Amino acid sequence: MTKLAILEYPDPRLRTKAVPIDAVDDAVRRLADDMLETMYGSRGIGLAATQVDVHRRLLVCDVSPEHNRPVVLVNPELVLREDPALCEEGCLSLPGIYASVERAQRIRVRALGRDGAPFEMDAEGLGAICIQHEMDHLEGRLFVDYLSELKRQLIRRRLEKERRQRATTGERRARATVT
Amino acid sequence: MRTGVSARLPAARAVAGVATRGVNLDAALSEACAAADPGDAPTIRSLAYGAVRGYFRHEALLGAVCDRPARRLDPLVRALLSVACYELEDRRSPDYAIVDAAVETVRAAALGRSAGFVNAVLRRYLRERAAIDARIARDPAARHATPRWLAARLRADWPDRWESILAALDAQAPMWLRVDARRTTAARYLESLHASGLGGRLEPRVPFAVEADPPCDVARLPGFADGVASVQDLGAQCVVFPLDLRPGLRVLDACAAPGGKTALIAERQPALARLVALDVNAGRLERIQENLRRGGLTAQVLCGDASEPSGWWDGEPFDRILLDAPCSALGVIRRHPDIRLRKSPVDLEKLPLLQARLLRALWPLLAPGGRLVYATCTLVKAENHGVTADFLGSIADGDRVDPASWPGWPALGVGDARAGVQIFPGEAGADGFYYAALSKR
């Protein structure tokens, strides 16, 4: 398995709408495994193919505290959405940014599994939020799109500044002599 | 997707490290951030600093909603609660999102049995928030996040000022710069700040000081890399006045690390006959060298224990000795809020003994007619006036030098020839410092 590079906001490729997957073959399964490894390795609970620059309708997630319940969803579709509420989210494509977004707290999703067989599953709480968050990626949507323009600009500037700092100084923090 | 657990848990670990192991917050943070995602580092930092700044206000808050004392909680749960309390005070996220996130973090920390407790405590606070906040607002120690014993101590020493001291220590510290007067003036440096799109102001009473306002990253300061400007609190810069530096003098900076005052001395009086920077901690000598190097300054940097001169002193007396003594550092709490968590009443009892030992050991190194400046960054009378008064009472050849005679002294603080000078935190924007000058007959 390979750890993949994750696209970071405001990379325009994150805006690509993913296309459906015709057949769940070995290549798709390999991609799902690599995405799971990438997700676990980045302390994430969900990852969409869009974020690793593959624009096909595939997402992986695992919201279990022990990180041992991976879920693979191919061509996911929501068939039910209930109980909207605000909840805090973060995203591997927006490191260090957390904000509250309104999502359905209970969903039913229809998808193909890792074996290519169609199934339906119910999810609630964090699991429901995570699946909706990843499905947004497949549409080219990010959680910050739900925030105000002003807030989004602040986030964009902060991320660009931090990226510049990482590039020029590593993780070095400026030292100050205070005596 | 990622949850805020990845920032809150490392932040809480850092806070718990400060509270239980007594490590300083920056050290605890670099440990916690090393294990986290680099992108989370700024969030972890601001959460941990907020939690530490408000730690003892949160203690009062938790006391109002818990049936057991906050200090008996599991340290990580206690730290997580402070992170959540800080977020609730900061009001950048909706309340219930903060509570949910705190509960999620407790679960992720494998402290699932405390999840219900954390949820109940935070929700009860939110229900009773107005009444609890009002009670805290009426209690100066709680309002300014000061532990009871520390507030009582400051109240005993400064009965007329303790509330304003607590408030000043709870405030945001300004960023003071010292400019190298050999190469520029404060006024010209202020112009170069403006030219770089930064702001600032002068402090006319300390002619080489400039406040950078708003504070900025040192990398953006013009001339920082070659020492034209250095970061140093206004109160610390004031040490040059009691020292009364003149050409040809032999000067010892006895507890020199990280070297900010050494560099200040070398800058203000380039024609000294000798400047020795001593520190007991070998690992911190590099910081002294770095500070000197940046300003193109020189000093003899020695590793040694100031209380045991036989180990490093060559026998040549000094005309000036600066004893910037180890102290409880209460005067710089606004810059280092973790001090409130790391100091105990026992520390405060032990320090005057150490300070007196250093004074006794260094006095013989002073030439007749020379001057020792005793400095601390604290507000505890026993460490300041108490130590110097006891010492002067124990020797026959020492006198206090009246602050009124210190050349250029900006008349900050309170004090006189008898007591030395106490600068209070926030006064003219300075940290809290104490200075006394003792001359040898």
Side-chain angles (χ1 to χ4, degrees):
Chain A
M1 288 198 285
T2 323
K3 196 170 167 190
L4 308 167
I6 297 175
L7 300 179
E8 285 191 14
Y9 180 77
D11 193 310
R13 289 170 288 180
L14 287 168
R15 298 305 184 180
T16 316
K17 191 170 155 118
V19 297
I21 290 175
D22 300 332
V24 182
D25 53 15
D26 283 349
V28 170
R29 277 187 281 274
R30 202 172 317 123
L31 175 61
D33 291 344
D34 289 346
M35 283 169 56
L36 279 166
E37 182 179 341
T38 306
M39 178 191 85
Y40 288 127
S42 315
R43 297 175 190 80
I45 58 167
L47 187 69
T50 312
Q51 292 174 279
V52 295
D53 203 18
V54 177
H55 302 285
R56 306 174 74 188
R57 301 188 84 78
L58 167 65
L59 66 86
V60 297
C61 63
D62 183 349
V63 298
S64 68
E66 300 80 19
H67 312 296
N68 57 2
R69 306 273 305 274
V71 174
V72 176
L73 299 180
V74 176
N75 300 339
E77 280 172 65
L78 287 178
V79 291
L80 188 80
R81 269 195 293 197
E82 284 177 350
D83 288 352
L86 275 170
C87 230
E88 189 193 72
E89 303 180 9
C91 181
L92 296 175
S93 294
L94 290 101
I97 305 296
Y98 302 93
S100 293
V101 169
E102 189 173 272
R103 306 267 190 203
Q105 300 298 300
R106 257 207 305 274
I107 61 165
R108 176 167 296 164
V109 65
R110 183 183 297 153
L112 305 179
R114 203 175 176 282
D115 53 3
F119 71 103
E120 281 192 6
M121 75 179 242
D122 292 327
E124 56 173 42
L126 191 56
I129 292 161
C130 183
I131 289 171
Q132 293 170 84
H133 175 111
E134 304 313 333
M135 287 181 66
D136 270 356
H137 276 303
L138 302 180
E139 300 300 324
R141 236 181 349 247
L142 296 163
F143 80 104
V144 288
D145 297 348
Y146 298 100
L147 308 178
S148 69
E149 177 59 28
L150 182 72
K151 216 163 173 185
R152 206 162 40 242
Q153 268 179 23
L154 284 174
I155 288 171
R156 192 181 167 130
R157 248 177 271 144
R158 182 183 143 185
L159 286 173
E160 275 166 356
K161 185 175 154 218
E162 279 166 20
R163 207 164 303 142
R164 263 200 316 277
Q165 279 172 354
R166 282 209 300 268
T168 54
T169 63
E171 278 298 285
R172 185 181 69 88
R173 238 179 8 99
R175 286 226 198 116
T177 303
V178 178
T179 49
Chain B
M1 182 176 146
R2 168 186 277 159
T3 64
V5 168
S6 56
R8 288 186 182 93
L9 191 51
R13 289 220 166 95
V15 175
V18 173
T20 58
R21 287 186 286 135
V23 291
N24 76 54
L25 181 54
D26 286 327
L29 271 169
S30 33
E31 220 175 284
C33 289
D37 192 277
D40 277 328
T43 312
I44 295 170
R45 242 187 108 67
S46 78
L47 287 175
Y49 259 90
V52 163
R53 255 182 213 290
Y55 195 86
F56 290 98
R57 180 168 53 247
H58 308 150
E59 190 120 315
L61 182 165
L62 295 169
V65 291
C66 288
D67 45 13
R68 52 189 144 154
R71 59 180 185 282
R72 293 227 198 102
L73 299 174
D74 174 282
L76 190 55
V77 171
R78 171 65 187 83
L80 273 167
L81 283 167
S82 252
V83 170
C85 289
Y86 162 66
E87 288 188 86
L88 291 172
E89 289 170 344
D90 194 45
R91 292 179 188 269
R92 240 178 284 179
S93 307
D95 293 343
Y96 51 85
I98 294 166
V99 177
D100 288 351
V103 172
E104 200 64 48
T105 310
V106 175
R107 287 212 186 97
L111 292 162
R113 64 187 188 295
S114 298
F117 170 75
V118 165
N119 187 47
V121 160
L122 292 174
R123 284 188 198 279
R124 176 159 174 210
Y125 166 61
L126 289 175
R127 277 197 309 275
E128 300 171 19
R129 186 173 198 165
I132 294 171
D133 286 357
R135 213 178 316 154
I136 288 174
R138 284 194 300 272
D139 174 353
R143 176 160 41 119
H144 298 303
T146 311
R148 297 273 156 216
W149 68 269
L150 187 51
R153 185 66 196 244
L154 288 168
R155 184 177 194 166
D157 276 5
W158 306 104
D160 302 329
R161 291 176 179 263
W162 68 284
E163 286 198 46
S164 60
I165 291 173
L166 296 192
L169 295 178
D170 198 23
Q172 199 66 42
M175 182 180 196
W176 282 104
L177 308 176
R178 172 188 90 231
V179 302
D180 183 352
R182 299 169 306 168
R183 290 184 275 175
T184 185
T185 64
R188 259 193 289 154
Y189 189 77
L190 181 62
E191 282 169 27
S192 67
L193 274 184
H194 287 141
S196 312
L198 302 165
R201 70 172 185 97
L202 302 175
E203 169 49 63
R205 289 176 290 179
V206 182
F208 38 92
V210 178
E211 184 192 341
D213 184 25
C216 66
D217 192 330
V218 290
R220 293 186 62 201
L221 291 173
F224 179 80
D226 43 359
V228 173
S230 303
V231 178
Q232 189 168 47
D233 180 71
L234 184 72
Q237 296 187 37
C238 286
V239 73
V240 292
F241 302 114
L243 276 171
D244 187 14
L245 298 164
R246 295 174 199 186
L249 294 184
R250 299 158 296 181
V251 179
L252 167 67
D253 183 354
C255 302
K261 292 198 183 78
T262 316
L264 166 66
I265 291 168
E267 241 172 62
R268 296 304 300 166
Q269 185 45 267
L272 295 174
R274 193 179 184 204
L275 174 57
V276 177
L278 179 79
D279 203 88
V280 69
N281 186 337
R284 297 184 74 202
L285 296 183
E286 182 46 37
R287 290 296 307 280
I288 305 178
Q289 298 282 19
E290 189 184 308
N291 268 313
L292 291 168
R293 210 162 32 228
R294 205 168 42 78
L297 304 162
T298 47
Q300 192 183 349
V301 179
L302 295 180
C303 183
D305 183 347
S307 69
E308 304 266 358
S310 60
W312 52 269
W313 186 44
D314 60 8
E316 190 184 350
F318 294 100
D319 305 298
R320 296 288 185 269
I321 295 177
L322 170 60
L323 171 53
D324 187 10
C327 69
S328 53
L330 305 186
V332 296
I333 281 178
R334 57 185 194 158
R335 291 188 198 279
H336 304 286
D338 52 333
I339 289 170
R340 295 195 196 105
L341 280 74
R342 294 167 56 215
K343 297 290 176 196
S344 71
V346 181
D347 294 331
L348 262 62
E349 271 167 44
K350 285 191 205 151
L351 282 163
L353 304 174
L354 170 65
Q355 290 151 349
R357 190 151 52 87
L358 287 163
L359 261 180
R360 272 199 309 275
L362 291 169
W363 189 253
L365 278 56
L366 195 61
R371 175 185 294 194
L372 184 150
V373 171
Y374 177 84
T376 72
C377 55
T378 197
L379 304 154
V380 178
K381 282 186 173 172
E383 293 181 58
N384 294 337
H385 174 60
V387 167
T388 50
D390 286 354
F391 177 69
L392 280 173
S394 74
I395 55 168
D397 58 350
D399 302 290
R400 285 190 191 269
V401 186
D402 189 340
S405 74
W406 299 351
W409 176 247
L412 286 171
V414 297
D416 49 37
R418 210 180 50 74
V421 173
Q422 180 71 61
I423 301 175
F424 293 98
E427 202 183 344
D431 287 341
F433 272 89
Y434 173 81
Y435 292 115
L438 316 179
S439 64
K440 194 170 197 171
R441 279 177 215 151

